[in-house]
């Protein structure tokens, strides 16, 4: 079959070397991966089953098996190579996934028939590009028993002085994750925006702020702590001295998520299905 598949809205996916990546800690993942491999081979698509420890820049399209954490890890790696990724949910929420393990054939048929689109999702960059995140950058003190005083500057203007357990800077993609749990708003994924959310602030007038993605955020701290801990997507961590300013801005890379035209796959449908959004409580 043709290796380059074009969707009805003009997006292309190159299937010439498809990687099927599974989280080896998930007992079901390899079994599902073998099913996907057989389905792709039946359509004469070159593919290879690999673990998430074997990401390679030679891959032209990546199918990721696991939960949102596995998809986030893949997105951070493949963003710099402009490789689209498809998430198959084997976890709990699976907010970033597009198909369940029971929808493998249907999902692959969607791709080969051009019933998909590729959505660019903005990412965040911190610590001079050493950290990139699709969901969020989180800043906390080195001690879980004490709060931190964090000063937030936007374009070199001091905007907020937070006494809080920490601070979240999130993309629209991450607004349904830790940010939502901390009281932040839900942002539609296509928005070019960032949201700043304090974690358990010690004041009633500290509220989340939504700003354009072109802004540059700098966070400084009082010097009563030796270091601040920064995490990207809750996975990679970095320590910064409190005498350093932490700069967070839109990354030069975008995650490319392949979205299928399966029923109930719109963002608003996923909100209802995964978070039971807008559904009245029935006693």
């Amino acid at each position: 079959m043709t290796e380059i598949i074009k969707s009805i809205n003009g997006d292309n996916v190159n299937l010439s070397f498809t990687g099927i990546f599974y989280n080896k800690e998930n007992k079901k993942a390899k079994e599902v991966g073998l099913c996907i491999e057989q389905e792709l081979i039946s359509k004469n698509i070159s593919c290879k089953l690999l673990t998430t420890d074997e990401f390679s820049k030679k891959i032209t399209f990546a199918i990721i098996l696991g939960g949102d954490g596995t998809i986030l890890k893949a997105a951070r790696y493949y963003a710099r190579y402009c490789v689209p990724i498809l998430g198959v949910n084997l976890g709990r929420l699976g907010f970033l996934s597009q198909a369940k393990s029971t929808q493998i054939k249907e999902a692959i048929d969607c791709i080969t028939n051009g019933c998909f689109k590729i959505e660019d999702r903005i990412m965040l960059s911190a610590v001079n590009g050493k950290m990139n995140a699709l969901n969020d950058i989180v800043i906390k003190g080195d001690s879980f028993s004490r709060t931190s005083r964090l000063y937030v500057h936007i374009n070199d203007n001091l905007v907020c002085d937070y006494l809080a357990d920490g601070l979240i800077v999130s993309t629209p993609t991450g607004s349904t994750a830790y940010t939502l749990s901390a009281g932040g708003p839900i942002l539609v994924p296509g928005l070019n925006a960032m949201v700043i959310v304090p974690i358990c602030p010690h004041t009633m007038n500290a509220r989340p702020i939504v700003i354009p993605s072109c802004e540059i955020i700098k966070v400084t701290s009082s010097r009563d702590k030796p270091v601040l801990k920064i995490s990207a997507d809750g996975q990679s961590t970095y320590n910064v001295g409190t005498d350093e300013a932490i700069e967070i801005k839109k990354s030069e890379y975008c995650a490319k998520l392949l979205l299928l035209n399966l029923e109930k796959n719109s963002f608003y449908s996923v909100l209802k299905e995964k978070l039971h959004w807008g559904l009245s409580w029935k006693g």
Side-chain angles (χ1 to χ4, degrees):
M1 66 172 293
T2 304
E3 293 178 340
I4 308 295
I5 305 295
K6 180 173 284 190
S7 71
I8 53 177
N9 64 348
D11 291 331
N12 291 331
V13 61
N14 183 352
L15 303 180
S16 61
F17 190 12
T18 298
I20 308 161
F21 295 96
Y22 69 95
N23 184 346
K24 61 186 178 183
E25 295 179 5
N26 188 317
K27 295 180 181 178
K28 184 182 177 182
K30 187 172 183 179
E31 178 185 337
V32 175
L34 289 168
C35 292
I36 294 175
E37 183 180 45
Q38 289 304 311
E39 185 66 27
L40 291 174
I41 290 172
S42 73
K43 292 182 179 293
N44 296 318
I45 296 172
S46 177
C47 60
K48 190 170 185 179
L49 183 62
L50 301 160
T51 73
T52 49
D53 295 326
E54 299 175 289
F55 289 143
S56 167
K57 62 182 179 181
K58 295 179 181 179
I59 296 296
T60 58
F61 175 53
I63 299 175
I64 311 300
L65 312 180
D68 284 342
T70 308
I71 297 172
L72 288 169
K73 180 180 177 182
R76 287 198 307 275
Y77 181 88
Y78 280 113
R80 68 182 62 231
Y81 303 114
C82 297
V83 172
I85 65 174
L86 170 72
V88 176
N89 184 32
L90 301 180
R92 291 178 291 116
L93 269 180
F95 215 90
L96 294 174
S97 61
Q98 285 290 292
K100 301 174 183 176
S101 59
T102 56
Q103 297 174 307
I104 290 169
K105 187 179 187 308
E106 187 180 359
I108 293 173
D109 285 345
C110 275
I111 296 169
T112 55
N113 291 328
C115 297
F116 66 87
K117 66 176 180 178
I118 295 175
E119 191 168 84
D120 288 347
R121 299 284 184 91
I122 69 167
M123 300 178 69
L124 300 176
S125 173
V127 196
N128 296 319
K130 294 176 183 177
M131 304 186 80
N132 287 284
L134 174 56
N135 263 2
D136 49 44
I137 298 288
V138 177
I139 302 169
K140 290 185 177 181
D142 65 330
S143 172
F144 288 103
S145 61
R146 295 181 60 193
T147 58
S148 300
R149 185 169 293 280
L150 300 170
Y151 305 94
V152 177
H153 302 73
I154 300 175
N155 295 337
D156 291 325
N157 296 305
L158 178 62
V159 176
C160 299
D161 170 3
Y162 292 121
L163 183 63
D165 287 357
L167 192 72
I168 307 169
V169 180
S170 170
T171 66
T173 301
S175 69
T176 52
Y178 191 12
T179 299
L180 182 62
S181 300
I186 289 179
L187 304 183
V188 176
L191 289 176
N192 272 305
M194 301 181 285
V195 57
I196 303 170
V197 183
I199 303 169
C200 300
H202 286 218
T203 176
M204 294 299 293
N205 63 358
R207 294 290 182 266
I209 304 174
V210 179
I211 64 173
S213 63
C214 59
E215 310 278 54
I216 296 176
I217 301 166
K218 286 186 180 178
V219 181
T220 57
S221 172
S222 57
R223 300 188 180 185
D224 59 339
K225 293 174 181 281
V227 295
L228 291 174
K229 293 185 178 293
I230 310 173
S231 67
D233 292 337
Q235 295 177 339
S236 61
T237 59
Y238 197 86
N239 290 346
V240 172
T242 51
D243 57 341
E244 300 179 55
I246 301 166
E247 184 177 280
I248 302 170
K249 60 184 179 180
K250 179 181 176 181
S251 173
E252 63 182 295
Y253 306 114
C254 283
K256 291 188 173 293
L257 302 188
L258 188 140
L259 308 183
L260 300 174
N261 292 345
L262 291 174
E263 188 180 356
K264 296 183 178 180
N265 254 1
S266 75
F267 175 70
Y268 302 107
S269 296
V270 171
L271 274 184
K272 272 189 164 184
E273 181 187 351
K274 304 289 186 182
L275 299 181
H276 308 292
W277 197 258
L279 299 180
S280 59
W281 182 79
K282 296 179 181 180

